[in-house]
Amino acid sequence: MTLAGLFLEELEALVAEWGEPAYRGRQIFDWVHHQGVLDPSEMTNLPVSLRQRLEPMRSTEVRRLSSADGLTTKLLFRLHDGQEIEAVEMNTRTGRKTVCVSTQAGCAMGCVFCVTGQFGFARNLDAGEVVEQVLRFNSAERPVTNIVFMGMGEPLANYDQTLRAIRLMTHPRGMRLGARRITVSTSGVVPAMRRLAAEGLQVGLAVSLHSPHDQLRSDLMPINRRWPIAEVVGAADHYADVTGRRVSYEYTLMAGVNDSDELADDLAALLRGRLCHVNLIPLNPNEDVSLHAPSTDRALAFEARLRQAGISATIRVNRGRDIQAACGQLRLAEKKGRPLPLGEGRGEGRSSAVTAPSPALRATSPTGRGVAV
Ligand code: SF4
């Protein structure tokens, strides 16, 4: 675990083992989590000998791309063992700054519309590697205000490190982020959703649904075979009951796959009376996944149908398309050695093939692209 993954008490114990007073641990925690300094050589109030014993940050920046409007920035990091992960910063003109973090290198869930899902799973990130992603974007002038766990990986499949990262981000001596400003996204790991409800945290929960029908959802998201819709929605209801927080359902719109009026009606029937909101996300364009977004008119019609049925729903604007801001896209471009936007250089590496949708899905959707974060 690197510095960014250690709690105050753990740092105090660590420096005590080295014969240093406990307050040195507090100084280190302050440097990392309050001031965002990850390089021990810059911790100027520590003795040089102590600075030299501290392990520096684990990640190095491989690419930094900003969207044309300057509001979205994406970082590609290389970790100490060569794994690559992504994090995205999304700003609004009103001062809100949301960082989307990854919790795993790759992902085992295999959702057919997701570039990351096609890489397979490499390993879990530790809490320090998650917190570092946020600290890279945090600054005194423009502090991070919101965190979404919607980057690479399934956060609830890396439960302990995800929770540890949340507790570090909300630490009163650190970034002091309010738990209500943090959203954890899940593909529907039901036991972990129920466990999260019992943590006494006020973090938001976003559930990737993408279909109101088990057959189609299983085609899109293999995890549905393990925990079908009824169990996922039941766990989401439980989360809302326990925390009092409205659950978000993420619904990535894919043309000809899950964007029909009939499915909108069935989705409304499924969610009617539940404390929830539906985020409709037109699929981000990506040539590596054979699915694509519906027209704007179709997306608006789907949203209108939900609203007419009394379901709270909005279409999420896809941000940073020009910098491949969807989960896994930049990493794939780097691996494939594709030209990057904004005149960036070319990466090296092998091609990464993307599997085709299942036969049942292919029957209804012959073409398409990637997913929005
Ligand atoms: S959508 Fe999320 S859970 Fe599904 S494969 Fe991609 S990263 Fe994993």
Side-chain angles (χ1 to χ4, degrees), residues 107 109-111 113-114 116-117 151-154 187 327:
C107 184
M109 296 303 166
C111 303
F113 49 85
C114 170
T116 297
M152 297 168 66
E154 163 55 61
S187 55
C327 171

Side-chain angles (χ1 to χ4, degrees), residues 87-157:
V88 187
E89 170 199 76
M90 295 158 284
N91 290 285
T92 67
R93 300 196 193 282
T94 56
R96 183 171 162 138
K97 183 186 207 172
T98 302
V99 174
C100 175
V101 295
S102 297
T103 52
Q104 298 179 315
C107 184
M109 296 303 166
C111 303
V112 299
F113 49 85
C114 170
V115 174
T116 297
Q118 315 309 322
F119 286 124
F121 175 72
R123 71 169 172 87
N124 285 327
L125 304 189
D126 66 39
E129 291 169 326
V130 177
V131 172
E132 271 188 36
Q133 296 169 56
V134 178
L135 292 172
R136 298 263 192 174
F137 289 112
N138 202 30
S139 68
E141 308 74 48
R142 198 80 201 268
V144 172
T145 61
N146 296 72
I147 310 272
V148 291
F149 284 75
M150 294 185 182
M152 297 168 66
E154 163 55 61
L156 296 187

Side-chain angles (χ1 to χ4, degrees), residues 173-191:
R173 292 185 66 127
M175 281 185 276
R176 297 195 277 261
L177 273 162
R180 297 180 72 84
R181 293 174 174 266
I182 296 174
T183 301
V184 174
S185 173
T186 182
S187 55
V189 184
V190 166

Side-chain angles (χ1 to χ4, degrees), residues 49 56 60 73 99 141 165 169 181 188 246 289-291 355 359 362:
S49 58
T60 52
T73 299
V99 174
E141 308 74 48
M169 292 168 185
R181 293 174 174 266
R246 187 175 76 163
V289 178
S290 58
L291 297 163
T355 55
R362 209 180 302 135

